[in-house]
Amino acid sequence: MDKMQKLDEILKTYEEEMTETLRGLVRIPSVDGEPLPGKPFGEACARALDYALKKAESFGFETYNDENYAGHVAFGGTPEGKTLGILAHLDVVPEGSDWTVPPYEGVIRDGFLYGRGANDNKCSCVSCLFALRAIREAGIPLRDRVLLILGCNEEKGSADMAHYMQHVGMPDYGFSPDSGFPVCYAEKGIHRMEIRGAFGGATPLISLAAGQAVNIVPNRCRACVQGATEQAQALRERARQLEVPCKIACADGKIDIEVEGVAAHGAFPAGGRNAIALLAEILSCMDLGAAEPALRFVREKLGVTDWDGKGLGIQMEDEPSGALTVNLGVVRADEAGIALQLDIRQPVVADFADVLARVQAACAPYGLTARSTHVSPALYVAKDSWLVTTLMRVYKEMTGRDDEPFSMGGGTYARSMKNAVAFGPGLPGNKSGGAHGPDEKQYLPEMFEAARIYAHTIVALAGPGMPDPGPGMPD
């Protein structure tokens, strides 16, 4: 048996332990939390990082904790080698609602492990850690040093990677296992905005709220308005016309409304049904006074199917990365005013200042203002680069598939460094899914297969006798 065959045999013996490791990580609710001394993203994120690093130490690996911003697991390397970075994240988005299983128990059913973060992205942390362990056990030397870098702030802006790169340094090349196979060679720019407006007059709107994170299509939106039975009935009729699941209760001169949509990842809003836009449509049958222009803006510029940016005047696309998308992820309003948060995934060629200017122009007639709150430049690595061609070769050898590299609206840690792309863990037609939605799940056989692919990939990139990754790498 050669060493590569031995890798596969070793990984098979790890499957039960991989499952329990993923389950242990899922049981830590590592949502970005209140900063604490020495814990910049809260107690749970620090605990998840500690769990992962201690697991790696138990396998005999060298580890490093960068002040609980991020950490790494290190293996291999020679004086003449470079550094391969594998960037995965341990933080998760809030669990949201409508789960049929507890989101932080790691329930296993029919080969699936359910839980927030099971698929995005704790499965990849586990797959890559055990891939490194198998390489070590198989006795395969690595020319390049491999750093499995585990972050704690990917879902909220990647401040963890900025800190890590400043204090530790940037690997020479690498990949982020936070997308799908075969290779994602382009990621759209991420542009988050806040739109605000003061009402400046009387309105029956008492409150309006939806969304826990801007990169989730909200599946619940609630409002309270002043009104009587007649108005409540009009709202019910409007919801019926729109075929929108809606709960309406009227008492003491107030009407409480709750609308049900469909959650989805904010980078792929067409897969969801935005509850904010749905409720704005239902409220169109009422006179909202000073709040009316803001709700009309939502209906006219950010409607239920307006995820392409056409209403805002920012509809565009390019060949490397495809079409722009917009997600209205969060709304908060009361009698005084409104605040909306947008998650825009813009093409590689788009200019951030131009997109903002267009949105500001769309807002002005409604008495609203817009500002950028976060920008993350797009990623693009040529399909014929050394990195992409090597990853594609290994993928085809391992799976026998002839899939093409792709681009996406999702953002990964790959954009935090030079010479990096997103690579796996999702296989074409995979059964895993539900990222950022209820009942997120990881199909365990797919995690085991990803670990096998990653083990062979690490050897192909960093193993003995491989060509130096310098020539042909993009700048």
Side-chain angles (χ1 to χ4, degrees):
M1 180 186 299
D2 65 23
K3 288 186 175 181
M4 301 311 289
Q5 290 177 311
K6 188 176 180 182
L7 266 183
D8 296 342
E9 293 301 317
I10 291 170
L11 282 165
K12 286 180 182 178
T13 69
Y14 292 162
E15 291 181 358
E16 183 175 346
E17 191 174 358
M18 290 173 66
T19 299
E20 289 308 308
T21 300
L22 178 59
R23 189 182 232 174
L25 282 171
V26 166
R27 287 174 170 170
I28 303 172
S30 47
V31 179
D32 183 275
E34 188 71 26
L36 298 170
K39 300 173 182 178
F41 310 118
E43 173 66 35
C45 285
R47 188 151 50 94
L49 180 59
D50 180 69
Y51 177 97
L53 294 180
K54 284 183 176 175
K55 179 66 69 172
E57 289 169 5
S58 74
F59 300 156
F61 288 115
E62 168 196 345
T63 67
Y64 171 79
N65 187 328
D66 180 32
E67 301 176 3
N68 281 316
Y69 279 83
H72 71 225
V73 180
F75 178 60
T78 61
E80 65 273 14
K82 296 185 181 294
T83 302
L84 162 62
I86 304 171
L87 291 74
H89 68 91
L90 292 163
D91 62 308
V92 300
V93 298
E95 62 272 18
S97 57
D98 298 329
W99 287 72
T100 63
V101 296
Y104 297 116
E105 284 191 11
V107 172
I108 297 175
R109 181 186 301 159
D110 299 326
F112 292 90
L113 193 151
Y114 289 81
R116 175 59 81 228
N119 177 248
D120 183 18
N121 182 235
K122 292 177 177 179
C123 67
S124 291
C125 301
V126 173
S127 292
C128 292
L129 174 59
F130 279 84
L132 282 176
R133 184 184 178 191
I135 293 169
R136 179 191 181 103
E137 186 174 334
I140 301 174
L142 298 180
R143 174 205 60 207
D144 292 346
R145 190 174 193 231
V146 179
L147 296 179
L148 172 56
I149 303 169
L150 305 173
C152 298
N153 185 238
E154 193 272 349
E155 299 289 3
K156 294 292 289 291
S158 299
D160 52 350
M161 285 300 106
H163 190 277
Y164 179 89
M165 297 304 174
Q166 179 181 358
H167 287 78
V168 181
M170 183 182 292
D172 296 297
Y173 68 105
F175 63 86
S176 178
D178 191 15
S179 175
F181 289 117
V183 177
C184 177
Y185 67 94
E187 298 178 10
K188 296 174 188 174
I190 299 177
H191 196 170
R192 290 174 180 163
M193 296 185 191
E194 182 180 61
I195 296 173
R196 299 187 71 92
F199 293 153
T203 174
L205 180 66
I206 298 170
S207 66
L208 175 65
Q212 296 177 298
V214 70
N215 57 352
I216 303 176
V217 177
N219 66 338
R220 287 281 188 278
C221 187
R222 298 176 178 86
C224 181
V225 296
Q226 297 171 356
T229 302
E230 182 179 342
Q231 290 162 309
Q233 187 55 39
L235 290 167
R236 290 190 186 94
E237 177 59 22
R238 182 62 178 148
R240 186 193 65 78
Q241 293 171 354
L242 296 169
E243 298 182 342
V244 175
C246 185
K247 297 177 182 178
I248 297 175
C250 182
D252 302 323
K254 296 180 181 178
I255 304 172
D256 291 307
I257 314 161
E258 180 179 336
V259 164
E260 180 181 340
V262 178
H265 195 302
F268 313 101
R273 200 169 186 222
N274 196 302
I276 302 172
L278 292 171
L279 185 49
E281 289 289 347
I282 292 172
L283 290 172
S284 66
C285 69
M286 285 189 65
D287 179 2
L288 294 176
E292 178 55 33
L295 271 294
R296 186 158 43 86
F297 171 81
V298 173
R299 290 193 294 270
E300 295 176 355
K301 305 298 182 182
L302 296 164
V304 178
T305 59
D306 292 336
W307 51 74
D308 61 0
K310 184 176 181 179
L312 295 171
I314 57 175
Q315 185 179 33
M316 62 183 77
E317 62 181 292
D318 64 11
E319 188 280 326
S321 53
L324 177 147
T325 63
V326 179
N327 179 51
L328 172 55
V330 178
V331 64
R332 298 288 185 270
D334 56 22
E335 299 98 325
I338 191 169
L340 306 165
Q341 294 183 32
L342 304 184
D343 184 356
I344 300 171
R345 307 298 172 109
Q346 60 186 57
V348 167
V349 300
D351 178 75
F352 286 102
D354 175 58
V355 171
L356 175 61
R358 295 192 200 189
V359 174
Q360 289 173 329
C363 289
Y366 300 86
L368 302 171
T369 61
R371 68 183 183 94
S372 298
T373 58
H374 171 80
V375 295
S376 180
L379 176 148
Y380 173 68
V381 177
K383 295 180 185 179
D384 61 356
S385 67
W386 177 87
L387 179 60
V388 173
T389 55
T390 301
L391 294 176
M392 288 297 300
R393 175 179 58 79
V394 175
Y395 170 77
K396 290 180 180 180
E397 289 174 354
M398 297 295 294
T399 65
R401 298 180 60 96
D402 197 30
D403 303 301
E404 291 296 320
F406 63 94
S407 63
M408 70 171 184
T412 73
Y413 279 147
R415 65 180 73 210
S416 298
M417 59 178 283
K418 295 180 180 180
N419 306 333
V421 295
F423 183 58
L427 292 158
N430 74 97
K431 298 180 180 180
S432 306
H436 293 208
D439 288 352
E440 178 179 351
K441 61 185 182 295
Q442 176 62 42
Y443 188 50
L444 294 170
E446 290 172 354
M447 180 174 71
F448 305 148
E449 178 64 11
R452 179 172 165 265
I453 294 172
Y454 288 136
H456 285 253
T457 298
I458 292 166
V459 174
L461 292 172
M466 300 308 299
D468 190 304
M473 291 295 285
D475 293 328

